[in-house]
Amino acid sequence: MPIQWTPAQAQAIEARGGSLLVSAAAGSGKTAVLVERVLRLLTDPAAPCGADELLVVTFTRAAAAQMRERIAEALEDRLRAQPHSAALLRQQQLLPLAQICTIDSFCLALVKEHAASLDLPQELRLLDDSERVLLRAEATEEALEAAYLADEAAFRQLGLLLEVSGDDRRLQKLLQRAADTALAQPDPGAWLDALPAEYLRGLPPEDTAWGQIQLGEALERLALCAALASQSEANLKADPPLYDKYAPAFQADIALALRLEQALRRGDWDALRSAPDNLAFEKLNRKPKNCDEALAELCQNRRKLFKKELEKLPKLFCVSAAQHAEDMAVLAPVASNFTALVRDFIVRCRELKARRQAADFNDILHWALDLLVTPGGGRTELALSIGAGLREILVDEYQDVNAAQGLLFEALSRGGENLFLVGDVKQSIYRFRQASPELFLRKRADFAPYDGARYPACLILGQNFRSRPGVTDAVNFTFRQLMSARAAEIEYTQEEELVCGKAFDACDTPDAELHLLSFDPEEEDGVAAEARYIAQWIVGEITKGRRPKDFCILLRSDHKPGMVYAQALKDAGVTAYALESEGLFRSREIQILLSLLRVVDNPAQDVPLAAVLLSPVVGFTADELAWLRSNYREAPGLYHCVRMAAEEGDAQCAAFLARLAEWRRACAVSGIGDLTRWLLEDTALLAIAGAMPQPA
């Protein structure tokens, strides 16, 4: 049975003539729409598009494989209906050549094809995640060591600001995060140059990015205060005697909020800074007898909140304009020093990768941009050539691309006129990976609403076909309270709301419920309390005829809570399953490797040394370790016990010390990545890990 497309879905499938941005809400059928659009392009009777003339970009390899499979199945279905169609047979033959891939895969293929023009080695390989972590740690250590040796005043000041005192892990994280953000930009160098420039512009505080944020926060608080006072004044009219007593104070509050708002909009920073310090609140008169007690209490509570919010304002304007200027003068060299440190880290990473003839996906992306974009921002001959062969570029999850990736698509397009971009800014979850939902929002604001005539255009798929009306209503209610342009970069207007697009059978239970639990955190663990409550609730539902498999519990993290919930359900007599995710660094073989690295660095650490000795790599037994400790009680540590036993002729201890000496010699001449690979080979730890029993 053919799918009945909604009018908006049909428009997204059939629109031709220019670029289209599709804002597709959760459950709106965007993947089905994307697949159908590709099929319509391939089977257009008037101007069919070859499968090799499309670039379809998804966010994950699994999504790309699923997309290719669904297109192949749809072509098969059409071929069964039209077995003699030469056009369909041709598209089926071309499908393996179609570029349906992730951004990383596309860039990698492009770079490999043009490696010679980039002067890259033929044996170039991609770093795996663990190797990349180790390499970045090595580059970070080198960059910071060089900075410590240089001992510049600005770097010392940076350390003071970050409270670096014998532990620079915070600085390390900040350094790597800044480098990641820079590398997500089309021109990392220009982005880094712009950072310290902000400190040198000499702007008054109200015109800086920080000042604008503070002013915006103050305006929001004043709007809340004005609303509290206005609502109270309006509600009081229901009780005239109470109104006569309370209204003057609330009217004065409204006037006060208005005066402060006017001062904020004038932007006189020092005046704003002193204004909240001189707040004078009119006293609330005594309430009359026989008034509405509930209304009186409501108004009193609102006034307390009004005062509390206004009294917070001075904290937003924490420095005067003169103090701000002094701070900027002090921070300018610190910012310059930090950006120089970030540059040094990036350079050292590249040098370490070059020695290994390796690269990561940041390198691949920027090499691809070098092939497609000129230093002046124009399109290269290669970009023009590739773009000429692409009828359409379709990008899924566009809200999660970064600025550099966005430039890549623009360079491949025909002047930005053959792009089909699908996404939902409300589902942007990869900002920690430098995703730039601002790209999506900017295009959405700039593109005309779809009317079939003007391009580029924006089309909204707002209907949800997965959830019952009560679920969509609950989501809409929650998001209306939480989402604003300042808090979430988008106003949750009627245009953004989910609309239930499917008819469901009637039921006698709520579609959505909110359960509020109360417990004493000093006496009970919150996760355990919630798990026990949910288990009891599910048992109650099962007694009404539900089945255990009808329930799914979604958690923010399954690391510990998953097992707690599973146990609570089992205790309640409900069969349950939870996937226990130990994580890489908690697995036994990685724990052995980490202990081995610690011992190579410093064998006098008893706990890592005991772990290595007891591991399959060395093979001591617990009894042998106990004998060592009891036989050499005078030794200050386990390492000294081993040495003393070896000096007295213990062959096992002597053999271990010989291996340890060899490992430590390798450590002195190797980087962390090379040392780790060598240790894995020398100890056969990979083979040992492969023979270990898997966790049940």
Side-chain angles (χ1 to χ4, degrees):
M1 181 179 176
I3 298 175
Q4 297 297 314
W5 304 105
T6 67
Q9 288 176 329
Q11 289 170 345
I13 292 166
E14 298 165 1
R16 304 290 185 270
S19 289
L20 188 67
L21 178 75
V22 179
S23 181
S28 61
K30 70 178 179 67
T31 303
V33 166
L34 199 55
V35 170
E36 185 65 19
R37 181 176 177 89
V38 170
L39 286 170
R40 298 279 184 95
L41 288 168
L42 298 180
T43 59
D44 189 328
C49 171
D52 58 342
E53 295 179 285
L54 293 176
L55 172 58
V56 184
V57 178
T58 64
F59 204 71
T60 66
R61 286 191 291 271
Q66 183 189 46
M67 181 79 66
R68 187 182 293 274
E69 183 180 351
R70 291 178 68 167
I71 294 169
E73 289 174 355
L75 281 175
E76 283 283 352
D77 292 342
R78 299 200 179 195
L79 268 169
R80 277 193 288 270
Q82 305 174 56
H84 302 296
S85 171
L88 287 174
L89 283 169
R90 180 176 179 274
Q91 297 292 17
Q92 189 181 48
Q93 292 167 352
L94 287 173
L95 188 59
L97 303 177
Q99 299 182 87
I100 304 173
C101 56
T102 64
I103 301 173
D104 293 338
S105 298
F106 173 81
C107 292
L108 182 59
L110 181 67
V111 167
K112 283 184 174 180
E113 185 179 350
H114 300 278
S117 62
L118 292 166
D119 197 25
L120 298 177
Q122 291 293 325
E123 301 82 8
L124 184 72
R125 63 182 179 86
L126 278 175
L127 293 170
D128 60 39
D129 290 342
S130 56
E131 190 178 6
R132 182 172 182 266
V133 169
L134 293 172
L135 184 143
R136 283 161 61 88
E138 186 175 346
T140 303
E141 185 178 341
E142 289 180 2
L144 289 178
E145 185 175 354
Y148 284 124
L149 289 173
D151 196 28
E152 294 182 9
F155 181 71
R156 291 198 301 273
Q157 182 68 23
L158 176 64
L160 290 172
L161 288 170
L162 296 177
E163 298 178 351
V164 175
S165 179
D167 183 356
D168 57 13
R169 282 178 293 183
R170 186 180 176 193
L171 178 56
Q172 292 176 29
K173 289 180 181 178
L174 188 62
L175 173 60
Q176 293 189 10
R177 194 171 72 181
D180 288 338
T181 306
L183 292 170
Q185 312 305 317
D187 187 343
W191 184 83
L192 287 170
D193 287 340
L195 294 181
E198 287 296 313
Y199 294 87
L200 300 170
R201 294 175 65 188
L203 295 175
E206 62 269 20
D207 291 338
T208 64
W210 169 76
Q212 288 295 308
I213 291 171
Q214 302 302 88
L215 289 170
E217 175 71 18
L219 282 170
E220 280 198 359
R221 289 189 180 177
L222 282 175
L224 170 63
C225 291
L228 289 169
S230 297
Q231 288 171 7
S232 297
E233 201 254 352
N235 295 150
L236 284 168
K237 292 177 180 177
D239 188 334
L242 185 60
Y243 180 87
D244 292 339
K245 292 291 186 181
Y246 277 13
F250 285 105
Q251 290 165 353
D253 290 345
I254 295 170
L256 174 60
L258 180 61
R259 286 199 304 275
L260 288 173
E261 181 187 352
Q262 290 171 345
L264 280 171
R265 297 196 183 282
R266 286 196 301 271
D268 186 339
W269 187 268
D270 286 336
L272 290 169
R273 186 166 179 261
S274 59
D277 293 332
N278 302 317
L279 292 176
F281 299 104
E282 187 165 323
K283 187 177 179 181
L284 199 64
N285 293 321
R286 189 184 299 274
K287 65 185 177 184
K289 295 180 180 179
N290 302 321
C291 68
D292 186 334
E293 293 290 342
L295 178 58
E297 184 178 1
L298 174 64
C299 292
Q300 289 167 9
N301 289 336
R302 283 177 176 169
R303 192 147 201 264
K304 288 177 183 176
L305 181 57
F306 177 93
K307 291 181 178 180
K308 184 178 179 181
E309 288 298 318
L310 282 191
E311 287 166 354
K312 290 179 183 177
L313 288 180
K315 295 179 181 178
L316 296 175
F317 308 100
C318 54
V319 294
S320 66
Q323 291 169 331
H324 177 267
E326 291 175 9
D327 288 346
M328 292 299 101
V330 170
L331 290 172
V334 177
S336 296
N337 183 274
F338 178 70
T339 54
L341 186 61
V342 175
R343 288 177 186 276
D344 187 40
F345 166 75
I346 292 173
V347 169
R348 290 178 187 275
C349 278
R350 286 176 180 162
E351 289 174 349
L352 290 171
K353 285 181 280 190
R355 286 181 218 158
R356 294 163 174 76
Q357 295 190 339
D360 60 21
F361 281 116
N362 276 329
D363 300 316
I364 300 298
L365 173 60
H366 282 281
W367 286 332
L369 285 176
D370 290 342
L371 291 169
L372 300 174
V373 182
T374 66
R379 300 168 69 199
T380 64
E381 290 296 324
L382 179 61
L384 293 170
S385 174
I386 295 174
L390 295 174
R391 284 272 295 275
E392 188 158 287
I393 300 169
L394 302 96
V395 183
D396 194 11
E397 307 293 359
Y398 185 71
Q399 79 279 355
D400 286 323
V401 306
N402 62 38
Q405 293 164 343
L407 178 62
L408 181 91
F409 297 131
E410 294 292 337
L412 290 168
S413 70
R414 299 176 181 179
E417 294 181 358
N418 60 330
L419 294 169
F420 184 80
L421 311 172
V422 185
D424 180 13
V425 74
K426 298 187 293 297
Q427 298 183 62
S428 179
I429 58 173
Y430 289 104
R431 190 181 283 278
F432 70 96
R433 291 184 183 172
Q434 288 71 54
S436 296
E438 300 88 0
L439 296 176
F440 187 98
L441 291 170
R442 197 177 305 129
K443 287 188 183 298
R444 180 167 171 172
D446 293 343
F447 288 9
Y450 178 80
D451 60 7
R454 295 176 296 168
Y455 290 94
C458 176
L459 179 65
I460 295 175
L461 301 182
Q463 287 185 292
N464 178 287
F465 298 95
R466 293 179 190 158
S467 306
R468 299 179 68 89
V471 175
T472 56
D473 289 347
V475 170
N476 289 334
F477 173 81
T478 303
F479 283 7
R480 275 196 296 269
Q481 319 309 313
L482 300 177
M483 285 195 174
S484 66
R486 288 194 67 239
E489 299 176 306
I490 186 171
E491 292 287 349
Y492 200 75
T493 61
Q494 186 174 359
E495 197 176 57
E496 297 296 335
E497 290 182 358
L498 295 177
V499 178
C500 183
K502 183 178 178 181
F504 290 88
D505 295 334
C507 67
D508 56 0
T509 58
D511 292 344
E513 300 179 35
L514 175 64
H515 295 237
L516 301 177
L517 307 188
S518 177
F519 61 90
D520 187 346
E522 294 184 0
E523 298 182 2
E524 192 172 18
D525 177 64
V527 173
E530 290 181 11
R532 190 166 53 254
Y533 176 86
I534 290 173
Q536 293 167 353
W537 184 85
I538 289 175
V539 168
E541 292 297 305
I542 290 174
T543 60
K544 298 175 186 176
R546 298 283 182 88
R547 301 165 298 175
K549 70 177 185 179
D550 292 334
F551 299 92
C552 174
I553 300 174
L554 302 180
L555 304 170
R556 184 166 185 169
S557 166
D558 64 352
H559 172 54
K560 177 187 173 186
M563 302 311 295
V564 174
Y565 275 77
Q567 189 60 50
L569 288 162
K570 289 175 184 176
D571 292 343
V574 179
T575 303
Y577 169 77
L579 182 63
E580 185 175 11
S581 58
E582 287 191 0
L584 175 67
F585 289 99
R586 295 182 64 204
S587 60
R588 186 184 174 198
E589 58 273 23
I590 298 301
Q591 287 288 323
I592 293 172
L593 178 59
L594 291 173
S595 295
L596 186 58
L597 289 168
R598 292 186 182 106
V599 168
V600 170
D601 178 58
N602 179 9
Q605 302 176 82
D606 277 6
V607 174
L609 180 58
V612 171
L613 292 174
L614 290 169
S615 74
V617 169
V618 179
F620 277 65
T621 66
D623 287 342
E624 288 168 339
L625 251 62
W627 178 85
L628 282 171
R629 287 301 288 155
S630 62
N631 208 43
Y632 301 102
R633 295 179 182 275
E634 70 278 11
L638 182 57
Y639 175 61
H640 297 86
C641 293
V642 174
R643 288 189 60 180
M644 293 169 73
E647 289 169 359
E648 293 181 6
D650 188 302
Q652 190 178 16
C653 289
F656 169 70
L657 290 176
R659 293 183 75 187
L660 179 59
E662 186 179 359
W663 295 337
R664 300 198 76 194
R665 283 194 295 271
C667 177
V669 296
S670 305
I672 185 65
D674 291 334
L675 175 64
T676 303
R677 279 191 293 274
W678 186 81
L679 286 173
L680 289 171
E681 293 172 4
D682 186 70
T683 61
L685 184 54
L686 290 177
I688 292 170
M692 287 179 179
Q694 297 299 310

